[in-house]
Amino acid sequence: MATNSAFHFLTIFVFISIITIQVTYGDEEYEFIKAVDPTAIKMKEEKLSHFRFFWHDILSGKTPTSITVVPPPKNNSFTAFGLVNMIDNPLTLGPELSSKMVGRAQGFYASASQEEIGLLMTMNFAFIQGKYYGSTITVVGRNPASNMVREMPVIGGSGLFRYARGYALATTYTFDPKSGDAVVEYNVYVMHY
């Protein structure tokens, strides 16, 4: 009889332990996400900012800022479908490379169209001047490069651009078909806190 009582006690103890573990686990799962007061993370009133700068894609010379990491297949058409270039391009106030640098465009672009020169752009505009030093704006989108003006979405950012959203307009300023070098004017409109 004593063995039977010990078995019941042990069974009840294990059952209570399992319930306690499930309740504790359930509490931890509940705490996985919770509402946060925006002022606790220094979110103030949202504002719209406009940035204008020039993006220098330099494939030629001793220190290119854009290098091919995946070449297109040799039998490819004029679109260079399959090409992937990694970039660390200067962003300047004026169209001349010698004008004041305000940041760098870091990321890659890939030729993603078989029908036209259509690029997939994935890049961070990493700023190095003024109050935006160390902050980034992230752009990811389609760039039909032969269009006069191309629009790409701003999908986020860091630093002063946390929770950023907006769009970037790209307009080719110069393009050298021999070297592949290009200067593109960017007008970026960003909603941020």
Side-chain angles (χ1 to χ4, degrees):
M1 199 65 149
T3 308
N4 201 13
S5 293
F7 177 75
H8 286 297
F9 174 76
L10 184 59
T11 303
I12 291 171
F13 176 76
V14 168
F15 180 72
I16 290 172
S17 296
I18 290 172
I19 290 173
T20 304
I21 289 170
Q22 286 178 343
V23 168
T24 302
Y25 176 75
D27 286 346
E28 289 175 7
E29 189 173 40
Y30 180 76
E31 291 296 321
F32 176 70
I33 188 168
K34 63 181 178 179
V36 176
D37 178 7
T39 59
I41 55 173
K42 300 180 182 172
M43 289 176 68
K44 298 177 182 167
E45 188 175 325
E46 193 173 30
K47 59 186 164 241
L48 173 64
S49 295
H50 171 220
F51 294 86
R52 179 179 177 261
F53 47 77
F54 290 84
W55 180 89
H56 299 267
D57 195 44
I58 305 166
L59 288 86
S60 64
K62 293 180 182 179
T63 55
T65 63
S66 178
I67 60 167
T68 299
V69 292
V70 178
K74 293 196 186 309
N75 62 350
N76 202 342
S77 68
F78 74 99
T79 69
F81 178 69
L83 168 86
V84 179
N85 269 33
M86 189 64 62
I87 63 169
D88 185 15
N89 290 348
L91 303 175
T92 61
L93 285 180
E96 300 79 22
L97 187 56
S98 60
S99 66
K100 182 177 182 176
M101 188 171 7
V102 294
R104 301 197 73 86
Q106 298 171 328
F108 69 89
Y109 59 82
S111 180
S113 176
Q114 296 182 42
E115 308 276 320
E116 64 178 333
I117 300 174
L119 306 173
L120 163 65
M121 305 289 294
T122 302
M123 61 185 162
N124 288 312
F125 295 136
F127 296 103
I128 61 170
Q129 292 294 324
K131 74 177 188 175
Y132 299 111
Y133 179 87
S135 297
T136 65
I137 294 173
T138 303
V139 174
V140 175
R142 183 173 185 273
N143 180 351
S146 57
N147 290 4
M148 179 67 93
V149 179
R150 290 88 65 194
E151 180 178 330
M152 292 167 278
V154 169
I155 63 161
S158 66
L160 293 176
F161 300 110
R162 290 183 191 135
Y163 305 105
R165 65 190 193 287
Y167 64 97
L169 298 175
T171 307
T172 302
Y173 185 79
T174 61
F175 174 69
D176 182 346
K178 184 177 179 184
S179 67
D181 293 353
V183 177
V184 178
E185 178 183 348
Y186 272 86
N187 282 278
V188 183
Y189 298 87
V190 183
M191 297 292 296
H192 62 101
Y193 291 93

